[in-house]
């Protein structure tokens, strides 16, 4: 780069003494001050460059950061039921069934809706058939049994929508110091993403083929329970073999999951 006697690049526009000036070309004397019209053009060009730079930085941020936080709502990879903590294995029938509750904020990112905040617990059901004949779940009953023995049936999309709509109509309350009454917030509109989540994630297998694992989610209304998993279990009965005979029922305690979860947090 060619520089003038002052040490500045030749022919470049620079700031000096609070003015925008142009360094002299080779052999020229003195410094040229930028005229008003040229000054406006210079500033405009500078703003354009600044905007382009900021746009480039923003685009880079979107390309690098967003993929790390955005959820693609893709079902988890299917693994054998025996890979999970809350599992029951019937060796004689070569059948294993596991239940994995989705009860944390991180797990909830899988879905389009925050079900936990509305009192709905998604439970992933994993069924592994290691036998040589298919297993039928067409007539199966899969119940959430609370610590008190109450039996909760899996909810469908319409049930969850009604539950959430009811809670949203009631609205959230903000407590204020006495004697002021609580302020009721405007309810949020019902989220129609529920139907999309059920289409994507709901357990829909009616038959589990030989040497195959099927998995999917069931959704349970646990809004009235302060500790829904503690002492609770998943009960499955009316599971049939290829000849239509009932298999022995399954009871999967969620305490197995809580024990593993607790050990991971310690």
């Amino acid at each position: 780069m060619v520089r003038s006697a002052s040490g500045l690049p030749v022919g470049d526009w620079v700031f000096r003494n609070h003015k925008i000036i142009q360094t002299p070309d080779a052999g020229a004397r003195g410094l040229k001050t930028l005229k008003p019209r040229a000054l406006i053009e210079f500033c405009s060009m500078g703003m354009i460059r600044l905007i382009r730079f900021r746009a480039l930085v923003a685009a880079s941020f979107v390309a690098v950061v967003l993929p790390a936080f955005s959820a693609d709502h893709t079902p988890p990879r299917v693994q054998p039921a025996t890979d999970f903590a809350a599992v029951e294995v019937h060796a004689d029938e070569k059948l294993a069934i596991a239940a994995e509750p989705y009860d944390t904020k991180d797990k909830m990112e899988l879905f389009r809706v925050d079900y936990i905040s509305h009192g709905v617990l998604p439970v992933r059901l994993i069924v592994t058939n290691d036998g040589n004949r298919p297993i039928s779940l067409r007539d199966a009953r899969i119940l959430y049994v609370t610590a008190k023995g109450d039996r909760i049936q899996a909810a469908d999309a319409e049930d969850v929508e009604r539950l959430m709509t009811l809670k949203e109509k009631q609205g959230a309350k903000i407590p204020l110091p006495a004697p002021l009454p609580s302020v009721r917030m405007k309810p949020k509109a019902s989220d129609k993403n529920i139907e999309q989540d059920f289409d994507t994630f709901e357990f829909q297998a009616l038959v589990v083929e030989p040497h195959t694992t099927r998995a999917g989610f069931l959704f349970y209304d646990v809004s009235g329970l302060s500790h829904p998993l503690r002492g609770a279990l998943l009960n499955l009965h009316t599971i049939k073999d290829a000849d239509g005979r009932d298999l022995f029922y399954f009871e999967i305690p969620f305490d197995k999951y809580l024990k593993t979860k607790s050990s991971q947090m310690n």
Side-chain angles (χ1 to χ4, degrees):
M1 179 182 294
V2 180
R3 294 181 178 272
S4 64
S6 62
L8 297 173
V10 170
D12 278 3
W13 293 102
V14 297
F15 281 96
R16 191 174 194 187
N17 296 329
H18 307 287
K19 295 181 180 179
I20 299 176
I21 58 177
Q22 185 182 36
T23 56
D25 296 333
R29 296 181 180 180
L31 299 175
K32 297 179 181 179
T33 301
L34 198 63
K35 295 180 180 180
R37 182 175 179 180
L39 175 60
I40 294 175
E41 294 178 355
F42 177 84
C43 292
S44 298
M45 292 175 61
M47 288 300 297
I48 292 173
R49 290 174 181 172
L50 179 60
I51 292 172
R52 288 176 178 173
F53 174 76
R54 289 181 175 177
L56 178 61
V57 172
S60 301
F61 178 84
V62 171
V64 174
V65 177
L66 286 187
F69 293 97
S70 61
D72 57 5
H73 308 300
T74 301
R77 180 173 60 91
V78 176
Q79 301 170 256
T82 50
D83 288 354
F84 297 86
V87 61
E88 182 172 335
V89 180
H90 293 181
D92 293 342
E93 298 164 344
K94 298 184 178 180
L95 185 64
I97 301 179
E100 179 78 359
Y102 272 55
D103 62 332
T104 65
K105 184 177 180 180
D106 289 342
K107 286 183 174 182
M108 204 53 51
E109 292 180 357
L110 175 70
F111 307 105
R112 299 171 180 85
V113 178
D114 184 0
Y115 294 98
I116 287 294
S117 65
H118 289 82
V120 177
L121 178 64
V123 177
R124 191 177 185 222
L125 182 69
I126 306 97
V127 182
T128 299
N129 178 13
D130 284 331
N132 296 321
R133 306 187 70 188
I135 297 296
S136 174
L137 300 176
R138 186 178 301 275
D139 300 321
R141 298 290 303 279
I142 308 174
L143 302 174
Y144 190 105
V145 183
T146 69
K148 293 183 178 180
D150 297 328
R151 293 171 175 260
I152 303 174
Q153 295 186 10
D156 56 25
E158 290 76 14
D159 293 332
V160 176
E161 287 179 5
R162 281 193 294 269
L163 175 64
M164 290 191 176
T165 301
L166 177 62
K167 288 182 173 293
E168 289 164 1
K169 284 183 178 179
Q170 294 173 349
K173 290 183 178 180
I174 300 178
L176 296 177
L180 298 175
S182 299
V183 176
R184 188 178 295 276
M185 299 296 292
K186 183 179 180 181
K188 179 183 176 183
S190 181
D191 195 338
K192 295 304 181 182
N193 287 331
I194 296 172
E195 295 178 6
Q196 296 182 32
D197 274 348
F198 270 75
D199 290 341
T200 304
F201 299 107
E202 188 179 20
F203 188 90
Q204 299 177 356
L206 298 179
V207 175
V208 182
E209 298 84 352
H211 307 288
T212 301
T213 297
R214 298 293 181 187
F217 285 86
L218 299 172
F219 298 79
Y220 293 94
D221 177 6
V222 295
S223 56
L225 305 175
S226 56
H227 301 285
L229 292 175
R230 190 178 302 169
L233 56 87
L234 200 67
N235 175 277
L236 297 91
H237 61 274
T238 321
I239 303 173
K240 299 182 178 182
D241 61 16
D243 297 322
R245 292 189 295 260
D246 287 348
L247 302 181
F248 198 72
Y249 66 88
F250 283 72
E251 285 191 345
I252 307 168
F254 289 118
D255 284 339
K256 291 182 178 181
Y257 165 77
L258 291 176
K259 183 177 180 181
T260 302
K261 180 181 175 182
S262 177
S263 64
Q264 292 174 350
M265 295 174 63
N266 295 333

